[in-house]
């Protein structure tokens, strides 16, 4: 059998070198959307069952201080793919579905770097980094997009599950579009005669709580207006299966060459639409059910790697783009049915927050037979994946703010970052060692609609995360030396002054 395979692989080209087992590993990033630090068993959840994620987390290297760059989606994804702090790009904030691509096509990206090293590169799932020039014609080839910033293959949803257009885009073309029913999208004005969440509550199967009252698709009111494209509209309840199938097909059809796959699941972002076979699976309502659903998808995906004989030659990185939120704009019982579950674990805040729960997320690496199971307290950020994974692939190139922590990600070193800038809706803070310093920020301390403390205060805040992970004691006054050091580091990196406290 072995002889047959090798003669098949190499026999036709006598010049090619036999493939060694140690040839470049495949790289898969499994990225969830709004999964909190406490949302999976391996990170302490007891009320929700995530056996497939836990198996990877416990069989791999689990980071306790692993961060997304930001507390919302677009900036975190920007940092992940470009290795650049998103606050350097004024367009890296939550984007509407009509936004132009915010990654410069000349910019070095993680997929480009891997491509240069011989990888086939693909994305399946959520994009949310803009498409085209801002005037995309959804009925033609939409460009630039993922394929112009380094992905050989893309099968994406443009923005978020709650934003139009509610269609899949395959290598720049809307999948399943009927040219006689063109798609029109507008974020400011509705199309005449089209129902909306405000005007047509009788058409809704899911009710909106705040925002989310424009066009209705599959009974769910969305952000933005859309007309046409009936045959291309996705089925919300089938989205997870649909993406899984694309991810599996991608793996099966590209295994002859090292591949990179960015598998960006849509769960547990709103609208939470579990497939009927997961409804009730968590006892926690749709938010818990879609986490269980995502967990199942991940289990199936890993099974595919295993069946294809790739698991021992594939590095899997798992993380989430930002922290958890319960009510993010729909009535879906996330608050009412939460029970004793704590999506943020011991952390304060949540999505949109400069407190820890905004950016500290589940983050682990898994590589069967290569990474020893363990736990690492090293300070690591998704922003470092670009340079670190590039290095694994054989590149010495570097993203602007992305450092090489390959050995840390592989468990060969405990060394993490010295410091990291954290971002939440354009506001910044700094983590260094055990401490985090949040400069004074204007604005309400809490976003009432989502019921999350976002970290704003007129006073500077300093917390010792080692002794006070829940950020209850502001020690800025007690620890002036540490505070001053943190302020200096912050100003040096960010290039902005920490405004004096106003109280
Ligand atoms: C907010 C939406 C929220 C979510 C978020 C983006 C409203 C009121 N809220 O503006 O529901 O879509 O944007 O989430 O519209 S993220 O994870 O993609 O950053
Ligand atoms: Ca998100």
């Amino acid at each position: 059998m072995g002889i047959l395979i090798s003669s098949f692989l190499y026999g036709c080209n006598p010049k090619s070198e036999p493939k060694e087992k140690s040839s470049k590993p495949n790289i898969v990033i499994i990225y969830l959307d709004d999964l909190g630090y406490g949302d999976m068993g391996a990170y302490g959840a007891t009320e929700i069952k995530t056996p497939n994620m836990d198996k990877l987390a416990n069989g791999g290297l689990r980071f306790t201080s692993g961060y997304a760059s930001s507390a919302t989606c677009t900036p975190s994804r920007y940092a992940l793919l470009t290795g650049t702090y998103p606050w350097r790009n004024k367009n890296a904030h939550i984007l509407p579905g009509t936004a132009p691509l915010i990654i410069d096509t000349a910019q070095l990206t993680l997929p480009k770097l891997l491509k240069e090293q011989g990888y086939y590169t693909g994305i399946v799932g959520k994009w949310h980094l803009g498409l085209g020039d801002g005037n995309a014609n959804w009925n033609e080839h939409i460009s630039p997009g993922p394929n112009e910033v380094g992905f050989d293959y893309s099968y994406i949803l443009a923005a978020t599950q709650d934003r139009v257009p509610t269609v899949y885009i395959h290598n720049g073309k809307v999948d399943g579009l009927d040219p006689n029913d063109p798609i029109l999208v507008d974020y400011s004005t509705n199309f005449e005669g089209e129902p909306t969440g405000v005007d047509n509550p009788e058409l809704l199967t899911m009710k909106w709580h705040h925002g989310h009252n424009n066009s209705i698709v599959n009974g769910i009111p969305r952000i933005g207006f859309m007309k046409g494209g009936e045959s291309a509209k996705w089925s919300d309840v089938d989205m997870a299966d649909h993406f899984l199938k694309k991810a599996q097909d991608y793996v099966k059809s590209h295994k002859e060459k090292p591949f990179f796959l960015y598998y960006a699941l849509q769960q547990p972002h709103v609208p939470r639409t579990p497939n009927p076979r997961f409804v009730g699976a968590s006892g926690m309502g749709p938010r818990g059910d879609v986490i269980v659903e995502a967990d199942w998808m991940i289990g199936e995906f890993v099974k595919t790697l295993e069946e294809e004989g790739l698991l021992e030659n594939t590095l899997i990185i798992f993380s989430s783009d930002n922290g958890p939120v319960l009510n993010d704009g729909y009535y879906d019982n996330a608050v009412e049915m939460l029970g004793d579950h704590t999506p943020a674990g011991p952390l304060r805040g949540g999505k949109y927050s400069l407190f820890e729960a905004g950016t500290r997320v589940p983050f682990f690496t898994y590589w069967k037979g290569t990474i020893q199971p363990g736990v690492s307290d090293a300070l690591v950020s998704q922003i470092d994946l670009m340079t670190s994974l590039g290095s694994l692939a054989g590149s010495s190139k570097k993203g602007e703010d992305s450092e090489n922590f390959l050995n840390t990600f592989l468990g060969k070193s405990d060394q993490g970052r010295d410091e990291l800038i954290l971002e939440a809706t354009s506001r910044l803070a700094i983590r260094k060692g055990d401490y985090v310093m949040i400069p004074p920020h204007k604005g309400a301390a809490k976003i009432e609609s989502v019921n999350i403390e976002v970290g704003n205060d007129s006073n500077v805040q300093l917390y010792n995360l080692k002794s006070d992970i829940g950020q209850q004691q502001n020690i800025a006054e007690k620890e002036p030396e540490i505070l001053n050091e943190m302020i200096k580091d912050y100003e040096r990196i960010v290039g902005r002054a920490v405004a004096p406290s106003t109280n």
Side-chain angles (χ1 to χ4, degrees), residues 359-414:
T359 50
R360 202 198 290 207
V361 286
F363 194 147
F364 58 82
T365 54
Y366 176 90
W367 185 351
K368 192 176 178 193
T370 296
I371 293 180
Q372 295 305 309
V375 177
S376 172
D377 295 330
L379 173 59
V380 292
S381 166
Q382 293 163 11
I383 207 166
D384 297 320
L385 289 172
M386 176 171 163
T387 301
S388 306
L389 297 177
S391 155
L392 176 67
S395 174
S396 53
K397 291 191 181 170
K398 184 180 172 314
E400 183 170 357
D401 300 298
S402 181
E403 296 178 26
N404 186 354
F405 287 112
L406 179 62
N407 285 335
T408 309
F409 289 125
L410 297 182
K412 294 180 194 160
S413 163
D414 293 335

Side-chain angles (χ1 to χ4, degrees), residues 418-439:
D418 291 335
E419 76 266 302
L420 175 69
I421 301 297
L422 307 174
E423 195 247 17
T425 54
S426 304
R427 297 157 300 129
L428 306 179
I430 183 170
R431 161 103 198 237
K432 183 177 185 184
D434 293 334
Y435 296 88
V436 66
M437 185 279 288
I438 308 178

Side-chain angles (χ1 to χ4, degrees), residues 33-34 72-73 77 126 269 321-322 351:
D33 192 356
D34 298 1
T72 56
C73 167
R77 286 161 205 258
K126 177 175 176 175
H269 194 282
D321 66 342
N322 53 254
K351 181 174 180 178

Side-chain angles (χ1 to χ4, degrees), residues 34 73 126 128 160 162-163 210 212 223 269 328 351:
D34 298 1
C73 167
K126 177 175 176 175
H128 211 189
T160 58
D162 54 353
R163 284 174 173 76
H210 57 276
H212 307 97
I223 306 172
H269 194 282
D328 207 12
K351 181 174 180 178

